[in-house]
């Protein structure tokens, strides 16, 4: 197992700085709450009137009305969504990284020799300062150990169990509750208008597929993510199974997003949503298509209801989901629409109730 | 460009022996004929009554009737189909290999230095005996040169043009006409019953996606095939585009089929159709799922209407799409259904007209 074979598509600064904010290793047994549904009949109810809402409504009208010069054939209607920071909360740390750290005790229980070996010893200590100082190589070792080497069915079962119990430290709620109600409404609105909605995430494809149907109404085959290979083999009874391998096939960040879209979908999207520099190429690629395309970026400018970060807006820089000045400039130049959480959304989470 | 990076998923014997049968490099300008439709109202009209037809009808009834103990939720209904030899003719040579050889003159026109260099010189000579003697390394060089290094849009345009003109030497028809009418009917029948139909082919994913919607009613995103990476970049005007790279991501043959299914679909199929040893693992993986699964193999035993090959049945061995004794034994042991072209199909091609 060579660590060079596996470079998870996660920004190093994001990992390390996020670790400093690591919540106590989580674990309760509450079942996942069902997602609130988009209020039927009223599209985009959690969106305030404004340029962002109007951009979505105009795009859908222009591409789905038969008489429109920008009409798009139903089978061509593809919309892609980044996940972390676009569909759900990414602060203070990518949810999947929390999962990996939480899984370390179980991995050590199976391989006790790891108990006294760095970086597992450090993670087990719970010492946040020390954990924050782990090197990228150390973190990769943690990701290896917790995301590969097991049958895909075992991974799925473990991830599912964790998602049903682990909670975000700020809200004390399941991570799957921390999805943005306005984005649920966009997903539903696009689907109601014949769009196939895809997640295109830097996160692990297998991880997101565990809950994508239940949480977003997006089936596993419409999740494109950072993906490692699997290996086909047989158990003692001759029954075949797949094992997750530490071999990276797709780093679904930055240029990897359009490359992943070509690999997994084979069509250029008509609409793309992101929130950080990792989504830049996906929006560029979407925008380079002929005719009307929708390109949108979520700006986290609402510290009260969620978080505020993004240097271009005079907000603190972020180690997770950077919205750089260069990205902001490109968005302005190319006419991409920036969604202000604070101004464009009258509700952030379904659990808040209606505004 | 290191040739070791790219091992196309094509059996060496198949390539080399097929080359001996190489037709003159093709090229006419006839438009593709529309595919004949499945006769409406009568499922599987081109199938004779018998165990194969019954297996399909029974499977669909058992998995789609609400009261059935083997009912499968609509979103879980996935069916996968090999292409070469299962959906269309694979003899005397895989269609895509014919394409690659046909493309050599155009590649040489762009890079004249190749004209006097092996293997391009040999391919250009048209000397079938010499072409048949090309080494695997030589053939890989031809595949490199003709399938990678160009923008994906250019590749798609070229492949489309070729498919609209190149003809099979035996029938003097477009390759896309040489699809099996009974399999069109199975695809349609499964879709009519809520199944999502996928192609899972050892052939090139990008190649098959060019015609999958038009020919099989299968959209690009439901084609899983042998896939190379792409590279994102910008042209002189700053417009982004993807270039096909000589870097193999997925060899979608043998164990690569279930691995590719996991990567691209993320669910285990309920039905799988193949015709050769390259489909063995896909059928095993499908069959290893809980509850009822349909596993079928097309046997080419009809030399008069198509071809006859497969040593297990006392037919000539084949270099393309081997149906080995071991595969036959496994099919018998595990209760996979063998489809006899000769006995189970009353019509092979749509252009034959109704029986």
């Amino acid at each position: 197992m060579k660590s060079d074979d596996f470079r998870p598509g996660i920004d190093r600064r994001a990992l390390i700085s996020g670790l400093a904010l690591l919540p106590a290793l989580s674990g309760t047994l509450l079942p996942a709450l069902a997602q609130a549904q988009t209020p039927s009949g009223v599209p985009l109810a959690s969106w305030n009137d404004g340029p962002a809402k109007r951009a979505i409504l105009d795009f859908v009208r222009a591409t789905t009305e038969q008489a429109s010069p920008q009409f798009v054939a139903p089978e061509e209607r593809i919309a892609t969504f980044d996940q972390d920071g676009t569909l759900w909360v990414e602060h203070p740390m990518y949810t999947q990284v929390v999962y990996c750290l939480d899984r370390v005790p179980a991995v050590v229980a199976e391989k006790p020799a790891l108990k006294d070996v760095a970086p597992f010893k450090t993670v087990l200590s719970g010492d946040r300062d020390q954990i924050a100082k782990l090197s990228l190589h150390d973190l990769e070792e943690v990701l290896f150990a917790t995301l590969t080497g097991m049958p895909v069915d075992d991974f799925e079962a473990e991830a599912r169990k964790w998602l049903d119990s682990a909670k975000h430290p700020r809200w004390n709620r399941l991570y799957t509750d921390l999805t943005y109600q306005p984005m649920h409404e966009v997903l539903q609105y696009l689907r109601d208008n014949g769009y196939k909605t895809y997640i295109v995430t830097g996160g692990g494809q297998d991880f997101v597929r565990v809950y994508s149907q239940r949480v977003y109404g997006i089936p596993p085959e419409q999740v494109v993510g950072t993906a490692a290979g699997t290996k086909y083999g047989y158990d003692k009874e001759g029954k075949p199974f797949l094992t997750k391998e530490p071999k990276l096939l797709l780093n679904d960040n930055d240029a990897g997003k359009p490359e992943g879209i070509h690999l997994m979908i084979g069509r250029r999207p008509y609409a793309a949503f992101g929130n950080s520099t990792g989504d830049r190429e996906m929006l560029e690629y979407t925008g380079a298509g002929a005719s009307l395309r929708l390109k949108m970026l979520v700006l986290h400018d609402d510290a009260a209801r969620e978080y505020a970060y993004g240097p271009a807006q005079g907000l603190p820089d972020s180690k997770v989901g950077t919205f750089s000045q260069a990205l902001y400039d490109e968005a302005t130049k190319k006419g991409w629409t920036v969604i202000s959480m604070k101004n464009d959304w009258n509700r952030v989470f379904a659990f808040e109730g209606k505004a």
Side-chain angles (χ1 to χ4, degrees), chain A residues 22 39-40 42 129 144 151 165 172 200 207 223 235 256-257 329 351:
Chain A
L22 182 64
S40 65
V42 184
D129 291 339
F144 278 150
S165 58
N172 194 33
V200 177
F207 186 78
V223 174
D235 68 13
K257 291 208 174 192
D329 293 345
F351 59 77

Side-chain angles (χ1 to χ4, degrees), chain A residues 76 78 80 200 252 254-273 277-295 327 330 334 336:
Chain A
E76 294 284 341
I78 302 282
T80 56
V200 177
D252 199 43
D254 307 308
K257 291 208 174 192
E259 292 163 4
I261 287 169
H262 178 75
L263 176 67
M264 308 281 291
I265 308 176
R267 304 181 194 260
R268 191 191 302 264
Y270 273 83
F273 294 75
T277 52
D279 303 311
R280 187 171 68 92
E281 288 85 351
M282 177 168 73
L283 268 66
E284 287 175 349
Y285 180 66
T286 299
S291 91
L292 190 64
R293 311 272 166 163
L294 183 65
K295 295 85 58 186
L327 180 64
E330 183 167 353
K334 296 188 171 165
W336 302 349

